[in-house]
Amino acid sequence: FIQSLSPFIHNNGYLGIAGFVFLEDFGVPVPGETILITGAVFAGLGQLNVILVGLSGFIAAVLGDNVGFAIGRYGGHPLIERFGKYLLLTKERVAKAESAFKKRGGLVVIVARFIEGLRQANGIMAGLIEMPWVNFLVFNMIGAALWVILWTSIGYFGANQLKYFIHYDVYLSLLALIVIIAYLVYRFHFKNKK
């Protein structure tokens, strides 16, 4: 899947990464997390700057959740009841999320960032329960920073490991071939002795 995003990253770079993360964070079901990881892999391979990948992901995540917050705050329940089904926000899910947000608001905003489905509805739910915007912004920024750091680190350092593997793949292939030939010779030799 990451390889299929390669042309998109080549053509759109940081703006493409930011666009997907932004859309995902106010409820549009696009692969924001995957595009962020892919951008970090490209950075690890030397094709993008990891700091700019992380920064574009962070800014887009915060802005996207704030759009979601505005949708929840100003559209309220009527908007969610009308269009929530397209974002998989059923009445039951909304009721559960509202309860969680009312009990542990700030912590839910941070933790929801790491849970698929909740990440997309995070801002909408915070706006829906009328969490004070400044509180939401602070917790949203903390969650976004942790989320971006985690996934860009995994993508970036994973790509560095991949670079070393690619560099040594000829040697590893040769070693694997030698092991296979040795195994076949061993099996053939002992089969003929019996």
Side-chain angles (χ1 to χ4, degrees):
F1 186 69
I2 287 178
Q3 192 171 6
S4 70
L5 293 173
S6 178
F8 179 81
I9 296 286
H10 279 296
N11 294 332
N12 300 293
Y14 306 109
L15 190 58
I17 294 166
F20 266 66
V21 172
F22 174 77
L23 289 173
E24 183 191 46
D25 279 358
F26 73 84
V28 178
V30 297
E33 184 176 283
T34 306
I35 202 85
L36 181 65
I37 295 168
T38 304
V41 167
F42 273 67
L45 295 173
Q47 297 175 17
L48 293 173
N49 180 306
V50 71
I51 302 296
L52 294 178
V53 169
L55 190 59
S56 61
F58 172 75
I59 291 168
V62 171
L63 291 176
D65 266 354
N66 275 281
V67 169
F69 183 87
I71 290 169
R73 171 66 62 89
Y74 301 112
H77 285 280
L79 186 66
I80 298 303
E81 287 171 14
R82 185 167 181 188
F83 297 106
K85 62 185 173 191
Y86 301 111
L87 304 174
L88 305 175
L89 293 175
T90 63
K91 285 184 180 183
E92 296 80 22
R93 287 182 178 167
V94 169
K96 281 183 182 177
E98 281 183 312
S99 174
F101 269 83
K102 286 177 181 172
K103 288 179 187 171
R104 296 181 180 87
L107 182 61
V108 173
V109 170
I110 294 170
V111 172
R113 169 71 55 191
F114 295 91
I115 301 170
E116 188 67 36
L118 289 180
R119 179 172 56 254
Q120 291 82 356
N122 188 12
I124 295 170
M125 296 309 303
L128 205 56
I129 66 153
E130 299 184 1
M131 176 185 276
W133 178 74
V134 173
N135 292 359
F136 171 73
L137 181 63
V138 168
F139 290 116
N140 180 30
M141 290 174 77
I142 292 168
L146 295 172
W147 180 75
V148 166
I149 289 168
L150 173 70
W151 293 117
T152 54
S153 296
I154 287 173
Y156 182 74
F157 293 116
N160 279 328
Q161 296 305 315
L162 181 63
K163 268 197 307 196
Y164 293 121
F165 177 76
I166 289 169
H167 181 70
Y168 293 107
D169 69 341
V170 172
Y171 302 115
L172 292 172
S173 299
L174 187 58
L175 178 63
L177 184 62
I178 291 169
V179 168
I180 291 169
I181 290 171
Y183 174 74
L184 292 173
V185 167
Y186 173 80
R187 291 253 340 201
F188 181 73
H189 179 68
F190 279 102
K191 259 191 172 179
N192 286 339
K193 278 194 165 186
K194 290 180 180 178

